[in-house]
Amino acid sequence: MEILSNFSLKNHNTFGIEAKAKRFVDVHSVEELKSVLQQNQSEKKFILGGGSNMLLTQDIDALVIHVDLKGKNILKEDDDFVWVQSQAGENWHELVLWTIGQNFGGLENMSLIPGNVGTTPIQNIGAYGTEMKDTFVSCEAVNIAALEMKTFHKEECSFGYRESIFKHEAKDQYVITSVIFKLTKRNHKINTSYGDITAELAKNDISTPTLKDISNAVIAIRQSKLPDPKELGNSGSFFKNPIISKSEFEKIHHQFPEMKYYNISETEVKVPAGWLIEQAGFKGKRFGDAGIHKNQALVLVNYGNATGQEILNVSKDIQETIFKTFGIHIEAEVNVI
Ligand code: EPU
């Protein structure tokens, strides 16, 4: 394992931001990971997966450990279910396609989400009516300080909307090395609850969709709304959809009756940040090389040479305007480094 100095992270973050790691190393196995952690105990560490959920606003003054553990396998199965284990460095979408290819159900609604498997539990990725927690069984992780393996079972992970223990109590203490999913082999729970999916299937005259049909529909929807990071730097949704109190919601809804919303509980409502940002006039706007995507206002983009700071400034401008206009605070979903 070679530790590189002053290493450019431009190809390791989907925003395509130029920033340097003081030191950088690729690890390909749990043994390599443990050995790097052990040999560099006093040095600050930064754990890097697919780089699809971060905005680099500065160089990283640490040892960046790129988790590149590969492999996926079937751990066990019965007549109805299969337990699939994937190593952390596997590309998420490739895992999804691999499961669909074997007619294993559960991940299809999350097709084409960028990033690697090992980071999916951190923010409990989700799309089109499904979240990772719905099929998650457990994950293995290395404790950075103690160098011991720990298994996190679903109940311990405190999963919520784009939330988990790995953003809170366990933050910066573990490196997730593999994840286990429980998927269906038959009686798949085809989930077409999301309006866009229903519309896409109807467009193609599909009335009894297969896993592959759902995946294809999701891919088509994502490709029509979300920019491909290979073509236009971005990190998916930059903000979370805010959850506000019903009373707060009612005041805004009275003023803007066309606003879309989802009831979360008796007292809380989730409102689409993309709608708020579009109403505030930001959709499709460009400020130098930083901008707001023309088809999905939740996505900030890098047209080429934007710095992380420039994108951060645009995000702050959006937050302030939304607060002034609607009295709602929208919170970043990506990790700002
Ligand atoms: N909307 C607008 N203008 C926009 C964008 C959205 O008015 O520019 C409105 C839409 O009309 C729709 C509503 O907002 O009524 C929801 O839009 P959409 O279905 O595109 O989903 P979203 O809430 O904006 C969330 C996730 C996405 C995920 C989609 C589909 C978050 C922060 N984002 O976006 O996740 O793909 O739902 O499930 O929850 C990601 O996390 O990176 C991501 C892309």
Side-chain angles (χ1 to χ4, degrees):
M1 268 173 304
E2 195 189 350
I3 299 189
L4 305 164
S5 293
N6 231 359
F7 182 85
S8 167
L9 295 169
K10 193 171 169 73
N11 295 326
H12 283 278
N13 72 100
T14 58
F15 254 123
I17 302 277
E18 179 58 65
K20 294 216 160 41
K22 187 177 176 199
R23 303 213 306 147
F24 177 94
V25 66
D26 272 311
V27 294
H28 303 103
S29 65
V30 172
E31 291 67 38
E32 282 191 1
L33 170 63
K34 281 186 177 172
S35 131
V36 165
L37 291 171
Q38 187 162 30
Q39 284 166 28
N40 300 279
Q41 262 169 358
S42 59
E43 197 169 349
K44 222 172 118 196
K45 322 280 183 321
F46 181 94
I47 310 302
L48 177 67
S52 61
N53 200 41
M54 65 177 191
L55 176 66
L56 291 168
T57 63
Q58 54 188 322
D59 290 341
I60 302 185
D61 186 23
L63 170 61
V64 174
I65 301 178
H66 179 225
V67 182
D68 203 19
L69 280 56
K70 299 286 189 204
K72 39 192 182 281
N73 58 296
I74 292 169
L75 276 187
K76 61 173 183 174
E77 55 190 307
D78 59 22
D79 290 345
D80 297 312
F81 299 103
V82 57
W83 281 255
V84 166
Q85 181 170 40
S86 169
Q87 299 303 305
E90 284 289 330
N91 173 271
W92 171 261
H93 182 57
E94 280 169 25
L95 171 71
V96 174
L97 293 183
W98 182 81
T99 61
I100 293 168
Q102 300 184 77
N103 198 33
F104 299 157
L107 305 183
E108 58 284 353
N109 291 49
M110 293 179 287
S111 297
L112 212 60
I113 295 183
N116 289 353
V117 174
T119 41
T120 59
I122 300 175
Q123 59 153 345
N124 177 29
I125 61 166
Y128 306 103
T130 307
E131 287 183 321
M132 195 230 46
K133 73 170 169 57
D134 303 335
T135 45
F136 177 95
V137 176
S138 64
C139 64
E140 294 272 298
V142 176
N143 181 308
I144 294 175
L147 298 177
E148 280 161 6
M149 295 302 292
K150 175 172 163 60
T151 302
F152 284 90
H153 295 281
K154 185 173 177 168
E155 317 75 69
E156 306 168 67
C157 291
S158 311
F159 287 127
Y161 166 60
R162 300 293 193 270
E163 279 293 351
S164 79
I165 190 172
F166 302 105
K167 283 185 159 184
H168 301 281
E169 298 98 290
K171 190 173 181 321
D172 297 334
Q173 293 172 51
Y174 293 91
V175 183
I176 296 171
T177 55
S178 65
V179 185
I180 299 174
F181 301 95
K182 183 182 171 188
L183 306 175
T184 49
K185 283 171 66 180
R186 58 184 188 189
N187 301 324
H188 302 307
K189 292 197 197 92
I190 299 287
N191 180 350
T192 57
S193 60
Y194 210 85
D196 284 357
I197 294 193
T198 327
E200 185 64 32
L201 293 171
K203 203 170 88 187
N204 295 307
D205 273 336
I206 297 170
S207 50
T208 47
T210 61
L211 300 175
K212 189 75 192 153
D213 291 331
I214 297 287
S215 173
N216 286 342
V218 168
I219 290 172
I221 299 161
R222 289 189 77 97
Q223 285 176 338
S224 71
K225 283 192 182 175
L226 298 164
D228 178 350
K230 289 196 196 92
E231 286 158 23
L232 188 61
N234 76 89
S235 217
S237 302
F238 193 90
F239 301 101
K240 288 198 227 181
N241 286 329
I243 295 171
I244 59 176
S245 72
K246 232 180 200 150
S247 54
E248 204 183 342
F249 164 75
E250 253 132 39
K251 272 187 264 164
I252 302 169
H253 196 225
H254 183 70
Q255 211 183 337
F256 302 94
E258 72 285 7
M259 179 170 80
K260 298 256 171 53
Y261 63 95
Y262 321 93
N263 284 314
I264 295 286
S265 67
E266 294 282 294
T267 53
E268 286 176 318
V269 180
K270 182 150 91 177
V271 298
W275 185 88
L276 300 172
I277 299 169
E278 182 171 345
Q279 293 303 307
F282 283 101
K283 194 170 182 172
K285 281 257 171 79
R286 183 171 172 168
F287 305 89
D289 263 0
I292 298 98
H293 190 52
K294 62 180 190 325
N295 297 337
Q296 165 52 293
L298 251 194
V299 178
L300 302 191
V301 295
N302 173 10
Y303 283 100
N305 292 313
T307 62
Q309 197 57 52
E310 283 166 344
I311 290 174
L312 184 64
N313 290 344
V314 169
S315 81
K316 285 184 176 156
D317 195 10
I318 292 173
Q319 280 171 320
E320 277 164 28
T321 309
I322 298 293
F323 191 74
K324 271 192 220 139
T325 316
F326 301 99
I328 296 177
H329 174 66
I330 56 169
E331 202 185 312
E333 193 216 279
V334 304
N335 296 315
V336 177
I337 311 295

